[in-house]
Amino acid sequence: MKAPKHFLTQVVSVLLGIGFIWCLSLPYLLLTKGNLNSIGVTHDNSLKVWMETSGVEGSPKDDVKDSKELQALQIKMEAEKVRGQMKDQMIMELRSDKTYLQQQVSQLEEFLKLCVEKDKKEIQQIKAAEQMKEDENFSLPPMDGYPNCKEKLKWMKNMWRTDPCYSRHGVNGSLPSIFIYLSEIESWCPVLPGRVVPSAVVENSEKKMDPAVVRESLKGLYPSLANKRQLHWIHQRIRSMEEVWVEAGRSLSAKYNLTERTAKQILVHPGALTDESGTHIAEDAFSGGPLGEQVQWSDLIATLYILGHHLHLSASIPALKAFLQGNTNGCPPQHSKVEPNLIYTDIVGLRQIQEVIGSSWIKYKCIFRILDTFGTEPDFNHPDWVTKHHLHGPFGGLNMTLLQFYTMFPHTPDNTFLGFVVQHQLISKESEQFKSTKRQNQALVYGKRATFWQGKEAYVDVIHKYLDIHGTADNTAAIPSYVKNHGIIKGRDVQTLLRQSKVFVGLGIPLEGPAPLEALANGCAFLNPKIQPPLSSLNSEIFKGKPTIREVTSQHPYAEAIGEPYVWMVDIHNETEVERALTAILNQTIEPYLPYEFSCEGMLQRVNTLVEKQDLCSSTRSWPPLSALQVVKAEAGTSCKKACQRMGLICEPAFFPNLNSVKNLAKYSVDCQTSEFSDGHLVYPAYLNSSKHCVFQSDPLLFSCVRSDQSLIRICPCRDYIKDQIALCKACI
């Protein structure tokens, strides 16, 4: 764009003004330096002549002559004086003119600045008008497969000036320039018809995508664990299970084709284990602290490594900054920097990442996988819903896709079940030794802390009538004198005690830990205390602030579903019920039992499938496959989770969009006479049977398997699942 013509005129005027001042200043300088000096010289010379002549006596004629000469000299001096005064006056006038001209030049400069600013504004207005015209004439292509494109376009429209790299890539604020950047330099949006992605970008996107090969050893992982104090317990657990992990990898490779995979660049950042989190979970691991999170992190890290991926472990804010340092600006990093394909973290870690890289975290939004022990439900995840219904808490309002939350147990189908591994398979020599271990008439109590034993004395007394009691409590626990307490011991020593025991005794807390499944895997029955009324975030300090209102009806709901003869539900305040369960257990013989999904091989299968097929950045890739969809109607007051369970199925939230229209519901014999879209409830799609009125969900983040309504019939997306591998449908692998 050309600048207005008068801009050049203004520049010339200023230059002429400066030249004029210079011309006026020149005679001033010459006069002040040269002419004033000449006045002094003239005066001196005249006086000298007069003095020389006046000092010699002469005739009267000479006196007359001298008098005339003196008179002439005086006249000359007077003339010189007048002339000097005129020059002084001229100099003063020149000085005044110089000051005046300097003021004029300053005013001209200010005027010129104002003109330049005005011209800039005019240029910006013209550019804005041109951009508006460009934007009006620009039609967005179909966004299928690019769910975050519109959100990113909106962000870039306001933020493109925040980093000069955007301008270097041709972004000028117009919608077409932004769209081209987001489709060709990054991959948030589809490439426009007729345009070709530059080869350099393609090469960069394919860089370091080498084949993923199942590893035969974990030794290459150990150096990155050993130098991180926060991962010390995780390091020990992985080392103790190396043989089992390697064997599980071989077994899975023999059953399935794992060769046609690419090695992903994966960042693993367990935020709750960092010193900066203030939780002290890592330090307390060796003194009776909770181990559930560390068990899950340990098994996830081992799984990803065995599967052949490139892991980048971070256990502190400085380490996180070091990895993300090249990714903190808006544009993609250059060839030398690793760009993650997946990021595994927890809610604490997500907050830390957001703090470290600011608004740039949004470009990673769809590749986050957030380990979330208790799960997150839709009403606690959606920021507007949280605000409207006053559901604020330290873990909610994250505005993520619900399937990005990875849980320890499959307690809510709205989230993804990650799980962990039950440590029971030991190396061959120890396995043979355990096979010969004879069970004693003893029970092992599940309680490491003093608070777990409080108020349970009568319950433990009843069990002591039938069995010797062993414990693994810390030295702060006030336990009955008849309990043989082994203190805080290593995992393998716990396995030994479980192999020797007939009953593993639950005390009601801790909730949903890994230990009860370890007991079953070692052939030890579990006494699972009932919880009445059920605990939830509405009535329990344990769940307070958690982003869920799921009700827990026993110490271990997953084990509750396994049932007898492995798991026995008891009211610990009902002596008769406890004795009946103990009698039944002592009169039976059970073999070790472990669901496949909690074995090393089962976790390898599940995580491999999720890494390869769960693409939350694209809506064009349908997973689970649509062929697995089975539609079930949930009666009023029934959630989709329960409706699917009654049919031997599981609710699959990924299928909700496939039911969210009149056309799609018609395929399943749902006749919508009238319909509307709404984001006012979590139960849509649903319909009123009396009026045949259908209501569809207008906000995808509010789809939910777990909510119900007393007046609406829900339309539920269900699927089948592999036995003991609930996260995967039969057609998923």
Side-chain angles (χ1 to χ4, degrees):
M1 174 174 295
K2 295 183 179 179
K5 292 182 179 179
H6 65 273
F7 175 74
L8 295 174
T9 306
Q10 293 162 0
V11 174
V12 171
S13 300
V14 171
L15 293 175
L16 288 173
I18 294 171
F20 183 55
I21 291 174
W22 185 83
C23 292
L24 289 175
S25 299
L26 184 60
Y28 162 70
L29 292 172
L30 292 174
L31 285 170
T32 54
K33 186 174 181 180
N35 292 338
L36 287 177
N37 289 338
S38 66
I39 294 173
V41 171
T42 303
H43 276 260
D44 292 343
N45 290 338
S46 300
L47 287 171
K48 184 177 180 182
V49 171
W50 180 79
M51 288 175 67
E52 287 176 351
T53 56
S54 64
V56 180
E57 293 183 1
S59 62
K61 290 182 180 179
D62 292 333
D63 291 340
V64 172
K65 183 179 178 181
D66 289 343
S67 176
K68 289 181 179 179
E69 288 178 354
L70 180 60
Q71 207 172 23
L73 180 61
Q74 288 176 341
I75 292 169
K76 187 176 180 181
M77 288 177 65
E78 287 295 328
E80 291 290 343
K81 183 177 179 181
V82 171
R83 188 172 152 194
Q85 289 174 346
M86 290 176 66
K87 288 180 179 178
D88 289 342
Q89 182 66 29
M90 183 183 294
I91 289 169
M92 289 178 63
E93 290 176 356
L94 285 171
R95 284 176 178 170
S96 177
D97 290 343
K98 179 183 177 182
T99 302
Y100 173 75
L101 285 171
Q102 285 176 334
Q103 292 173 349
Q104 290 296 310
V105 169
S106 296
Q107 291 176 2
L108 280 171
E109 288 175 346
E110 290 297 322
F111 176 71
L112 183 59
K113 286 180 182 178
L114 291 173
C115 290
V116 170
E117 290 297 324
K118 183 180 178 183
D119 290 341
K120 283 183 179 179
K121 288 181 180 180
E122 289 177 358
I123 291 170
Q124 289 174 356
Q125 289 173 356
I126 294 170
K127 284 184 176 180
E130 290 177 352
Q131 287 178 6
M132 287 180 63
K133 190 174 181 180
E134 274 189 86
D135 292 353
E136 289 173 0
N137 295 332
F138 181 72
S139 299
L140 292 174
M143 299 292 185
D144 294 342
Y146 298 88
N148 297 306
C149 181
K150 288 185 178 179
E151 180 181 359
K152 191 65 177 178
L153 283 169
K154 183 179 179 182
W155 180 88
M156 182 74 82
K157 190 74 174 174
N158 297 322
M159 304 296 290
W160 70 275
R161 289 188 181 87
T162 60
D163 198 305
C165 72
Y166 293 127
S167 297
R168 290 197 296 269
H169 284 293
V171 177
N172 60 16
S174 68
L175 186 57
S177 70
I178 292 172
F179 196 93
I180 289 170
Y181 173 84
L182 292 176
S183 60
E184 297 181 9
I185 306 303
E186 300 190 29
S187 56
W188 293 99
C189 301
V191 177
L192 292 171
R195 292 189 63 88
V196 179
V197 178
S199 59
V201 176
V202 175
E203 289 171 8
N204 193 39
S205 66
E206 294 175 352
K207 189 179 179 183
K208 297 184 180 179
M209 296 297 282
D210 50 306
V213 179
V214 175
R215 291 187 170 101
E216 290 287 322
S217 169
L218 288 169
K219 289 182 173 56
L221 175 63
Y222 297 147
S224 59
L225 290 169
N227 63 10
K228 295 176 177 62
R229 173 181 48 80
Q230 301 89 340
L231 305 183
H232 183 49
W233 190 92
I234 289 174
H235 186 193
Q236 284 191 357
R237 175 177 167 88
I238 292 176
R239 274 188 176 274
S240 72
M241 297 175 65
E242 178 173 7
E243 185 175 324
V244 183
W245 278 115
V246 171
E247 181 56 38
R250 291 173 185 158
S251 176
L252 190 68
S253 296
K255 296 175 183 177
Y256 303 97
N257 180 13
L258 301 181
T259 59
E260 298 178 3
R261 301 175 303 124
T262 56
K264 308 292 192 298
Q265 300 288 344
I266 299 177
L267 171 62
V268 178
H269 178 70
L273 301 186
T274 62
D275 295 340
E276 294 87 349
S277 71
T279 62
H280 305 292
I281 292 176
E283 302 95 293
D284 294 344
F286 298 96
S287 58
L291 298 176
E293 290 90 347
Q294 297 205 71
V295 166
Q296 192 174 37
W297 280 114
S298 165
D299 298 342
L300 173 64
I301 291 169
T303 296
L304 293 171
Y305 189 81
I306 286 289
L307 289 172
H309 298 294
H310 303 299
L311 298 190
H312 307 273
L313 303 181
S314 163
S316 66
I317 297 296
L320 187 63
K321 288 180 178 178
F323 180 81
L324 296 172
Q325 186 176 9
N327 302 329
T328 54
N329 64 15
C331 298
Q334 299 303 312
H335 296 284
S336 61
K337 193 66 184 176
V338 174
E339 184 80 347
N341 303 112
L342 285 171
I343 300 175
Y344 288 89
T345 187
D346 48 28
I347 294 177
V348 174
L350 177 63
R351 304 284 194 200
Q352 291 173 341
I353 290 171
Q354 290 172 330
E355 184 176 345
V356 166
I357 61 176
S359 61
S360 294
W361 84 275
I362 192 70
K363 69 181 179 180
Y364 300 119
K365 184 175 181 180
C366 63
I367 65 172
F368 277 103
R369 303 294 183 264
I370 303 167
L371 274 63
D372 182 12
T373 301
F374 296 103
T376 295
E377 293 177 343
D379 30 358
F380 293 88
N381 174 60
H382 197 293
D384 293 339
W385 192 279
V386 166
T387 301
K388 183 178 179 180
H389 297 276
H390 309 290
L391 299 175
H392 296 283
F395 305 109
L398 297 180
N399 201 34
M400 308 294 281
T401 301
L402 288 173
L403 290 171
Q404 290 180 264
F405 296 100
Y406 277 36
T407 60
M408 282 197 72
F409 291 97
H411 36 56
T412 172
D414 284 333
N415 303 148
T416 298
F417 168 50
L418 174 62
F420 58 94
V421 171
V422 172
Q423 186 178 8
H424 79 295
Q425 307 118 310
L426 302 171
I427 60 176
S428 56
K429 290 182 181 178
E430 291 181 341
S431 295
E432 291 300 321
Q433 179 184 347
F434 277 3
K435 286 179 182 177
S436 61
T437 301
K438 185 178 180 180
R439 292 196 185 277
Q440 307 298 317
N441 199 49
Q442 69 183 43
L444 178 63
V445 177
Y446 180 22
K448 292 185 290 186
R449 296 289 180 90
T451 52
F452 299 167
W453 291 77
Q454 290 175 1
K456 314 294 171 39
E457 293 83 359
Y459 168 52
V460 178
D461 286 345
V462 173
I463 299 170
H464 182 51
K465 293 179 184 178
Y466 294 83
L467 299 161
D468 294 332
I469 308 296
H470 290 247
T472 56
D474 61 25
N475 55 17
T476 66
I479 59 179
S481 58
Y482 54 76
V483 176
K484 184 178 180 180
N485 186 24
H486 300 264
I488 303 300
I489 56 178
K490 293 182 178 179
R492 289 194 173 182
D493 295 329
V494 174
Q495 308 294 318
T496 302
L497 283 173
L498 288 171
R499 285 278 184 175
Q500 294 171 347
S501 303
K502 294 181 178 179
V503 181
F504 189 54
V505 180
L507 297 175
I509 49 174
L511 298 171
E512 298 185 304
L517 295 185
E518 292 179 3
L520 302 185
N522 285 285
C524 186
F526 175 50
L527 281 184
N528 189 16
K530 300 174 184 176
I531 297 178
Q532 291 296 335
L535 296 180
S536 73
S537 59
L538 302 178
N539 64 1
S540 169
E541 286 296 318
I542 297 174
F543 290 102
K544 187 176 181 179
K546 300 293 189 296
T548 174
I549 55 172
R550 177 174 62 93
E551 293 185 335
V552 175
T553 56
S554 69
Q555 182 173 355
H556 207 284
Y558 182 90
E560 181 180 347
I562 293 174
E564 301 173 6
Y566 300 99
V567 180
W568 297 79
M569 302 296 297
V570 293
D571 177 356
I572 63 174
H573 303 293
N574 187 326
E575 183 176 337
T576 302
E577 193 170 301
V578 174
E579 289 184 336
R580 186 183 301 119
L582 288 170
T583 301
I585 292 170
L586 296 176
N587 288 328
Q588 71 176 15
T589 300
I590 59 172
E591 293 296 321
Y593 170 69
L594 177 65
Y596 179 71
E597 57 198 358
F598 286 99
S599 67
C600 284
E601 185 179 321
M603 186 160 185
L604 283 169
Q605 181 194 53
R606 181 169 62 257
V607 172
N608 178 66
T609 305
L610 291 172
V611 168
E612 296 301 316
K613 298 185 177 182
Q614 189 187 50
D615 185 353
L616 300 177
C617 299
S618 172
S619 62
T620 57
R621 295 185 61 183
S622 178
W623 191 87
L626 197 56
S627 60
L629 171 61
Q630 299 184 44
V631 178
V632 172
K633 296 178 183 178
E635 295 303 320
T638 304
S639 70
C640 283
K641 177 184 177 181
K642 290 183 179 179
C644 293
Q645 283 178 342
R646 289 171 183 172
M647 302 298 293
L649 304 170
I650 183 172
C651 180
E652 177 51 69
F655 290 146
F656 269 119
N658 299 101
L659 301 180
N660 202 43
S661 70
V662 172
K663 182 180 178 181
N664 287 339
L665 285 191
K667 298 176 185 176
Y668 303 101
S669 303
V670 178
D671 182 19
C672 299
Q673 296 295 323
T674 58
S675 65
E676 64 175 303
F677 278 83
S678 172
D679 61 357
H681 210 317
L682 304 174
V683 299
Y684 307 140
Y687 74 98
L688 284 166
N689 196 34
S690 58
S691 61
K692 305 295 183 185
H693 179 69
C694 297
V695 188
F696 299 105
Q697 184 58 259
S698 61
D699 191 331
L701 288 182
L702 295 178
F703 285 127
S704 171
C705 287
V706 299
R707 295 289 181 260
S708 61
D709 185 89
Q710 294 299 322
S711 60
L712 292 171
I713 296 175
R714 296 203 61 184
I715 309 299
C716 302
C718 307
R719 64 163 171 84
D720 59 19
Y721 55 89
I722 300 170
K723 185 180 184 301
D724 288 342
Q725 187 68 292
I726 198 168
L728 305 179
C729 64
K730 293 176 182 177
C732 287
I733 57 175

